Every structure is written in C-alpha cells, then in structure tokens.
Amino acid sequence: MDSVLPVAIASVILGALIAVLFFGSYFRKRTSEVQSMAKADPIRNPKSNHKKNHPKSHASDKNQIKRHHPLDLNTLKGHGDSVTGLCFSPDGRTLATVCGDGVIRVFKLDDASSKSFKFLRINLPAGGHPTAVAFADDASSIVVACQTMSGSSLYMYAEEKQKDQQGKLPLPSIKWEHHNIHDKRAVLTLSGATATYGTADGSSVIASCSEGTDIILWHGKTGRNLGHVDTNQLKNHMAAVSPNGRFLAAAAFTADVKVWEIVYQKDGSVREISRVMQLKGHKSAVTSLSFSPNSEKIITASKDGSIRLWNINVRYHLDEDPKTLKVFPIPLCDTAGNPLHYDRLSLCPEGKVLAATHGSTLQWLCAETGKVLDTAEKAHEEDITCILWAPRAITVGERQAMVLATSGVDKKVKLWEAPKAQAL
C-alpha cells in the first residue's frame, strides 16, 4: 500500500507536465497565428501605424463599402418600421417621410451628401398607420393619410408663425382633418401640385387615391373637398396630378388610363373635374404613370411588359385622341427569362431620366429612347415602397445635382444622384 501511493503521485505529476507542455505549445502556435492575421489586416488593428499614416485612404475604403452603387449618395436611417411614403417640398430642400411606427420625419437637406441630417419629428394620433404624405403650399405644411380600424383619415400639420415665450417655434399642429374618407378604404397615394394653369390662383391641390375606385381632390391649405371621380376600373393602383394642376390621371386594374381636367373658375376655385380623354394601347393593367414637367405628356408602365410615352396636348374638345409617341419594352426579366413589369415610375423634372422600380431593383432609363442608363439590383434590402425626384437640383457637396429619393420596407430612405449627362 505504501509503495502504491508514491507511484500514483508520480503518475499524476508526470501527466500534468505532459499536459502543460502540449497545451503550452498549442496556445503559442495560436497566438502566433492571431498575430500574423493582425499584421496581414492592419484595418482591424486599432493601434496600427499604417492607419494613422493614411486616414483618408481608410475613410475612402469605408465609404466604398457603404456606397454599394456609384449613384448612391446617402441613407437616412432611424425609422422604426417600413417607410410607406415620402415627399419633397416645392424647393427640394425638405424631405418628409411617413413610417409604420406612426411618426412623420421632416428632414432638412442642406447637403444631400452630409453625414447627418437635422429632422423634425411629429407623432401622429395614436392608432394611426400612415400610408402617404404630400406637402401643402410650402415646406411648413404637410398632409398625411392614415389608416385606422375605423377607416382612413387625412391630417394637415402646419407650423405656427409666432414664437413662444422662450423664443422658439412650437411643433407643427393639426390645422384640419377629415375622417372616414373613401368609405373607410385605405389611401394608396397622395399627389400634390401647385395649380397655375388658366385661372387657378396658385393654391396647392392634393389628390387622395383609394384602394377602391374613387379619387378625391382636396384644397391643400383649407382641406376643402374640391370634388371626386370614380375610375370604375375594379381597383386603383395610383393617381397623379400634373405639375401645373390641370390634369388628374389614374393607373388602375384595367389596361386604360383615364385622364380628367380640373376646371378652374375666375376666382381660382375649382368648378368641376371633367373626364377628357382615355389612353388606350396597353394590353394589361397599368401599374404606374408619371407626368412630364410641362404637363403635356404622360409615361405609363404596364404588366404587359411595356412603357408608353403619350402626348396629351391635344384638342380633346374636338374629339382629338391622345397619341402614343413611343413604346419601349421593359428591360427586366426574371431568372427564367420571363419579362417583368415596373411597380413605380418617376420622371426627373428635367424630363430626361426616368426612374423605375421592381421589388428591390432600381433602374434609370433615358426617357426618350428607353435605354437603360444604370441599374441597382439591390437598391434596398427589401421591396421599395416609394420613389420621387426632388423638384429641382439640390446641393451635393460642392455641386448641384438632381436627386432621387427611395423608401423601403427595410426601414430606410436612400438618396441617389441622377446619371451623368454624358450617359444620355
């Protein structure tokens, strides 16, 4: 018994020595590997002299990683849910967004390439899910469409002109509101324009398009109902008011696009909304449309896989029909080679570049030839919900550029620069 104990102790000590030698060698080898990796990748080593000597190079590398596409200018983060709508102010320096988290965010775009943006946060009434937004008159007045359990509502928020006792302007408050509009159906889009055609007085008019077949025209400043139309096309996709406030057009379930004229009285008020023409030529449902800057043309996209450019500057009162000027095939296909359609269109205010989307893909086309100028296949991580050009060139660093805004289900709003002129 006495002889067994020393042998056992010696065996334990010998085993421990072997283990120390083995694991010591292993850890020295791993440490050497980690050090080698750190030397091979100086970006990951915060104490690297290389990083201190070349800060601009590394900043450029990070920007390249963040900007996955050459036209990608910036990303507006901070939204708590899917961004359902966006709109630029008439001067292009303010961008309003509405989000599934029930918040309106109004961003100041003093420089579209800025690292951060100041924004005003406006909380909607509890229970409201915002679906669309438009500016009324100026950058201080915003109309928002909300969906609740009881139906659709419109709210117009405006800033107070007088400062409070502390010398600060109070938050925008509700100036007018309407509830249970469109027979409680959801509002798909809000389209606003400054009415300057004929005897119009320069007031803003806003068209709310329901998911049913009705469209209502509102006076932006007062909220007065100016009239309504029914597309009688089973289901609306969207509606738009022409830039001069003269025409109202709707894309719906059927292949035709109906166009109404907003007729103004001598005092600037709206007398009637009269249907004046119908764009016939597509073979399937029209998904989106966009007016030209001069309000004389319309571009439409259809599920038949084509884009059509129409001339609506015709003598419709003499039964002259609108003319199809050009037809372009939509240059998108799925993995099996089947043609796809565009979900949304937006024509640049200069009239040369057409932006279009399908799912999370964003394309820029030449509006005159249909040629693809550029494509961002993953413009957003999820589907794009809205696209819109700024109404005029805005500041990007030390230059002025036309800027497109896109929003997505991925809780982001992105800013894109228009393709260079030589690309056209």
Side-chain angles (χ1 to χ4, degrees), residues 37 49 87 100 113 129 158 188 203 325 372:
M37 291 166 60
N49 291 329
C87 186
S113 64
H129 178 79
L188 296 177
S203 298
L325 299 177
V372 177

Side-chain angles (χ1 to χ4, degrees), residues 246-247 277 295-297 310-315 320 322:
R246 180 184 182 185
F247 294 114
M277 65 186 86
S295 302
E296 295 180 357
K297 298 180 180 69
W310 309 81
N311 175 26
I312 61 171
N313 186 27
V314 296
R315 294 173 295 178
E320 184 177 345

Side-chain angles (χ1 to χ4, degrees), residues 32 55 113 162 190 269 276 348 369 379 391:
S32 176
S113 64
Q162 296 181 350
L190 287 177
S269 61
V276 292
C348 181
T369 66

Side-chain angles (χ1 to χ4, degrees), residues 319-368:
D319 295 328
E320 184 177 345
D321 293 327
K323 299 175 177 63
T324 299
L325 299 177
K326 295 178 182 179
V327 181
F328 309 125
I330 293 177
L332 275 181
C333 295
D334 60 18
T335 54
N338 300 314
L340 297 173
H341 66 271
Y342 285 137
D343 302 319
R344 292 165 184 83
L345 297 177
S346 184
L347 184 62
C348 181
E350 294 180 342
K352 296 180 179 180
V353 180
L354 178 68
T357 69
H358 176 86
S360 62
T361 299
L362 171 62
Q363 283 193 322
W364 294 264
L365 311 175
C366 175
E368 297 179 356

Side-chain angles (χ1 to χ4, degrees), residues 122-375:
I122 305 172
N123 293 318
L124 289 166
H129 178 79
T131 58
V133 61
F135 277 92
D137 290 331
D138 55 32
S140 64
S141 304
I142 301 172
V143 177
V144 183
C146 286
Q147 182 69 15
T148 64
M149 294 295 292
S150 60
S152 293
S153 298
L154 284 183
Y155 299 95
M156 197 277 263
Y157 287 84
E159 294 180 354
E160 298 290 346
K161 301 301 181 182
Q162 296 181 350
K163 297 181 179 180
D164 58 19
Q165 295 179 353
Q166 285 75 33
K168 297 181 180 180
L169 289 173
L171 289 174
S173 57
I174 297 175
K175 299 304 178 183
W176 59 258
E177 57 189 286
H178 292 285
H179 303 284
N180 298 327
I181 61 174
H182 294 291
D183 293 329
K184 300 185 178 181
R185 288 185 290 268
V187 174
L188 296 177
T189 60
L190 287 177
S191 175
T194 301
T196 57
Y197 177 78
T199 57
D201 61 3
S203 298
S204 66
V205 291
I206 298 174
S208 61
C209 175
S210 81
E211 63 181 357
T213 62
D214 56 326
I215 301 169
I216 302 176
L217 195 68
W218 308 89
H219 189 271
K221 187 174 183 179
T222 65
R224 188 170 70 254
N225 186 328
L226 300 177
H228 72 280
V229 298
D230 195 321
T231 62
N232 292 311
Q233 292 176 289
L234 298 179
K235 181 181 180 181
N236 292 335
H237 289 158
M238 56 87 65
V241 179
S242 63
N244 63 1
R246 180 184 182 185
F247 294 114
L248 170 66
F253 184 78
T254 66
D256 298 340
V257 172
K258 294 180 179 179
V259 181
W260 295 263
E261 183 179 19
I262 304 169
V263 182
Y264 297 91
Q265 299 188 100
K266 291 184 179 181
D267 62 357
S269 61
V270 173
R271 186 177 73 201
E272 63 177 336
I273 306 173
S274 175
R275 201 179 91 180
V276 292
M277 65 186 86
Q278 196 161 336
L279 310 184
K280 297 183 178 182
H282 283 296
K283 298 178 181 178
S284 188
V286 176
T287 55
S288 187
L289 61 86
S290 182
F291 280 94
S292 64
N294 62 6
S295 302
E296 295 180 357
K297 298 180 180 69
I298 293 179
I299 295 183
T300 57
S302 168
K303 288 187 177 181
D304 64 11
S306 72
I307 300 171
R308 285 178 176 259
L309 176 62
W310 309 81
N311 175 26
I312 61 171
N313 186 27
V314 296
R315 294 173 295 178
Y316 54 83
H317 55 283
L318 298 178
D319 295 328
E320 184 177 345
D321 293 327
K323 299 175 177 63
T324 299
L325 299 177
K326 295 178 182 179
V327 181
F328 309 125
I330 293 177
L332 275 181
C333 295
D334 60 18
T335 54
N338 300 314
L340 297 173
H341 66 271
Y342 285 137
D343 302 319
R344 292 165 184 83
L345 297 177
S346 184
L347 184 62
C348 181
E350 294 180 342
K352 296 180 179 180
V353 180
L354 178 68
T357 69
H358 176 86
S360 62
T361 299
L362 171 62
Q363 283 193 322
W364 294 264
L365 311 175
C366 175
E368 297 179 356
T369 66
K371 176 185 175 183
V372 177
L373 302 176
D374 216 325
T375 301

